[in-house]
Amino acid sequence: MRTRAKRNLGLLLCLAVILITCSGAFRFAFGLPDALTVLTGQDFVVDTGFPVVSVYSKNLLWSDFHPWVRVTTRLAMDTAVPGEYYLEFKLFGLIPIRRVSLVVTDPVMVIPGGHSIGVVLRSTGLVITGLVPVETVDGRQVWPAKNAGLEIGDVILSAGDTQVTTREILAFAVEQAGNQGSWVDLLVEKSDGSVVRRALVPVRKKTGGFNIGVLVKDALAGVGTMTFYDPDSRLYAALGHVIAEGDSKRPVSMKEGHIVRATVTGVEPSKKGRPGEVLGTFVEGQDVMGTIIKNGPFGISGHLTYPPANLLYPEPIPLGPESKLQKGPAEMLTTVDGTEIRRFSVEIEQIFAGGTSSSKRFVVRITDPELLSLTGGIVQGMSGSPIIQDGYLVGAVTHVLVNDPVRGYGTYAEWMARESYMMPRSSASAQAAWLEEDTAVLIPF
């Protein structure tokens, strides 16, 4: 009997756990990001459908200072004053299972982008963009670089004792080692940031000379879109995604970089299975707009020397936190001809829950008939085009869905602002406040 009772109790506990984890309140708690930003004056309500057990603060009197107002099944917050707080969700009001940082802040005011820009990045060495076979004098194909463990995205820093900054320097070192019948010793930075040495034997080509089977670049250049900038600090953010070489997914190792004005000369429309492209022209070193300080997960950022004007938005507008983005209509700013910024209608179709940082946080659909006729949807070079909703700059287009180019991904403007140092990247003071004051909201499941 006791064995059966224990088994029944175990089944009941398992059922209880399943019911709890499937509850709306549980999903709500774990659907929130790790940190939330709320603008002063913005309505903010936590509503689980379950009554709130209690609200407490160790060092503050509820009646005078605490920002939370008790409602039957929800907590509504007075966001008139900036501050840092924490929400804590507890199972049965007793067991902490989730903690969310909450920052109330005045909005950052930015000038929207939409400008077509030329992006130029110079590496600390030579970026490997491809691995190719070398045809030998007897007609065989060999892969010296691939066999030595080199990969696309690796950066060749030096050959022997010579720093490699141009393709010509690497070619000379390979030719010299080949003629001497010796190894060429390469210092290589790998995708995880480690630095290793690789020794390769140059292969004599059928067409003459020596080769090690790599394609390299000393600079990367392309066309993208400015997202926004702070007119006071002149800090800017663009692209919305990292610049990586090949499939490496890591930022290109950067020695220096800058952005320049670009002119759109045409658009190759997107088709299902084949992304289109903005055809832009720019001259490196001319019409320089600013420097690139960082190439991070949410795009490039830096300092503008000559802030560009936006005739559609000559005055700053508030940058919306991620909580401001909602499903529904919005507008996108981008350039599809010359240098004129134009506004087009889009629809926010899906917003992904959870707090994982990514350049793919929501799905946007192009709904503007004119833009669809011009581009077929989202095209390469549109990355960074700002998305404005209800008067707030809330995000940017980052990727096209290859099999459905009318749709694409976007990322939050707030995350781009944090990466570009327009907003604090983390809240150490909020962490300290949690440890010292235990300001919390308790919500049962």
Side-chain angles (χ1 to χ4, degrees), residues 40-112:
T40 51
Q42 176 185 347
D43 292 336
F44 184 77
V45 176
V46 173
D47 188 354
T48 66
F50 289 76
V52 174
V53 175
S54 61
V55 179
Y56 71 92
S57 176
K58 280 185 178 180
N59 301 326
L60 300 178
L61 294 176
W62 160 261
S63 59
D64 295 333
F65 301 104
H66 205 285
W68 293 91
V69 179
R70 194 195 313 251
V71 188
T72 307
T73 61
R74 62 174 59 186
L75 291 175
M77 184 175 182
D78 178 5
T79 59
V81 180
E84 299 173 334
Y85 312 97
Y86 268 89
L87 311 181
E88 186 175 45
F89 297 87
K90 289 193 174 185
L91 189 62
F92 307 122
L94 298 172
I95 306 171
I97 61 169
R98 185 79 203 282
R99 186 178 297 168
V100 176
S101 168
L102 178 67
V103 177
V104 180
T105 182
D106 292 326
V108 174
M109 304 300 290
V110 297
I111 298 290

Side-chain angles (χ1 to χ4, degrees), residues 26-39:
F26 195 93
R27 292 197 305 271
F28 174 84
F30 281 89
L32 292 173
D34 294 331
L36 280 172
T37 300
V38 178
L39 301 181

